[in-house]
Amino acid sequence: MQYASTRGHAAAQNFSEILLGGLAPDGGLYLPTSYPQVSGAELDAWRGLSYAGLAFEVLKKFATDIPAEDLRAIVEKTYTADVYRNARLGEDAAQITPLRVLEDKDGRKLILQALSNGPTLAFKDMAMQLLGNLFEYALAKKQAELNIFGATSGDTGSAAEYAMRGKKGIRVFMLSPHKKMSAFQTAQMFSLQDPNIFNIAVEGVFDDCQDMVKAVSNDLAYKERQKIGTVNSINWARVVAQVVYYFRGYLSATTSNAQKVSFTVPSGNFGNICAGHIARMMGLPIDKLVVATNENDVLDEFFRTGVYRVRKSAETWHTTSPSMDISKASNFERFIYDLLDGDAARVKALFGKVETVGGFDLSGQPGSDGDEFKKVARFGFQSGKSVHADRLNTIRQVEKNYGITIDTHTADGIKVALEHIETGVPMIVLETALPAKFNETIREALGRDAERPAGFENIEALPQRFEVMTADVEKMKAYIAANTGL
Ligand SMILES: *Cc1c(COP(=O)(O)O)cnc(C)c1O
């Protein structure tokens, strides 16, 4: 299996080559030159597999350059009941992403698929845990080292640290805005004592952290010398790892391949639902893929109108589902490439317009950039939006009707799912975090604290290990160099 850039850069690469990189040299994103197909017979054979067994079958189709026995060992180490131990009462941790039927009456079936039972209680663990093991494997093969440098306002940074802690050949330098994360998020990251994890609390806001990451990344000589890499949401291996749970959800919710299911996905950077799109392109019988956004509705706007209009920082709201507070969906280019039938020159032109004029228009209206919006339905996409009042209401209703506490992002998903659910087609909502992570809003909605999984009870009281630093790029560079010894 070979990979090429959405903007046409010709050099085909294999899975291992793109694993450690980010964007393609032309600024595009990597995609396989064709999607591997899954036959009905294969799907049948996969019904009885464990999560790790299924992950092996799916990943094998994409990572053709990794020897099968190595790949199997990697997935078996990753998807264990011990790693995904935060399953809630009534869930079986061994299923890794257990399903819970919330409602099944009058042909209407609403199902929650738990993706947030991993170490940091959010769905990012599903892919990041695999990435940690893949990185360790690839680096050992090349006898190489990697220093991951990133900025976080919460979920991604902690998922990366928990995936990379103790891994040979890898260090993580993670910037976060000093005293701006929730006490829970701060404790989760800063209580790690592993010598290969470096938490740097920057005196500033998240944008200051991100600016420092950009400044360091733009110094190519430094980046090369210090072997700096990233693990952001465009990483292809992260997307592929997420494809697996769409197969798991489908196979667990159906008994025959003649049945279809729909998925609703709380979305921000379009990484999670992009994996659903790929599963559908591989032949998984998915009916609808419903994009759920919060007040930051860039994606909902596109799927309603065909206009993609990225937001400026001042128009990006801080909401109570903060992991979806994005102004620009970094994986969206992968879908647009498919929507345009792989016309890389047009993809390049359209995303060039995103940089220069802030968006493009495929509505087919006079003066627009094309009329491909009319083809969106063929890919199963629909969308909807949920705001703070909806979240509170949904959290209360789900608690009352089904006796389960959901987090704010999942609440956005359920609100939108209920607007799109159809008789006879099970609707699976992806649960992207556990409520303990966003306790402030649970208190507001329910007047009590969210329950915490075992082991997290006193996390704020654990000793913390971090460095406070001013937003000074030179100081940052010196700090990394001193700790890598490179
Ligand atoms: C990252 C995240 C999302 C959004 O996922 P995308 O892949 O960016 O669309 C939704 N919910 C939670 C809890 C997250 O951490």
Side-chain angles (χ1 to χ4, degrees), residues 384-452:
K385 168 180 174 175
S386 159
V387 301
H388 182 71
D390 297 319
R391 281 194 276 287
L392 295 180
N393 184 37
T394 305
I395 291 168
R396 290 182 190 126
Q397 289 302 318
V398 169
E399 161 101 356
K400 179 164 161 266
N401 297 343
Y402 314 120
I404 176 172
T405 313
I406 51 168
D407 100 290
T408 51
H409 306 76
T410 308
D412 290 331
I414 295 209
K415 188 264 181 184
V416 173
L418 290 172
E419 296 166 350
H420 292 273
I421 193 166
E422 287 172 313
T423 308
V425 184
M427 173 64 85
I428 301 179
V429 178
L430 299 184
E431 179 180 51
T432 56
L434 289 189
K437 276 202 112 161
F438 303 97
N439 192 43
E440 296 77 4
T441 309
I442 301 303
R443 286 185 82 125
E444 188 181 345
L446 302 176
R448 59 158 178 84
D449 288 325
E451 58 186 72
R452 288 189 176 188

Side-chain angles (χ1 to χ4, degrees), residues 123-124 155 266-272 323-324 409 432-433:
F123 93 95
K124 305 257 178 344
D155 289 347
S267 294
N269 268 319
F270 204 76
N272 196 349
S323 305
M324 288 153 58
H409 306 76
T432 56

Side-chain angles (χ1 to χ4, degrees), residues 79 101 300 321 349 395 450 464:
Y79 297 110
V101 178
D300 180 43
S321 44
I395 291 168
Q464 300 192 350

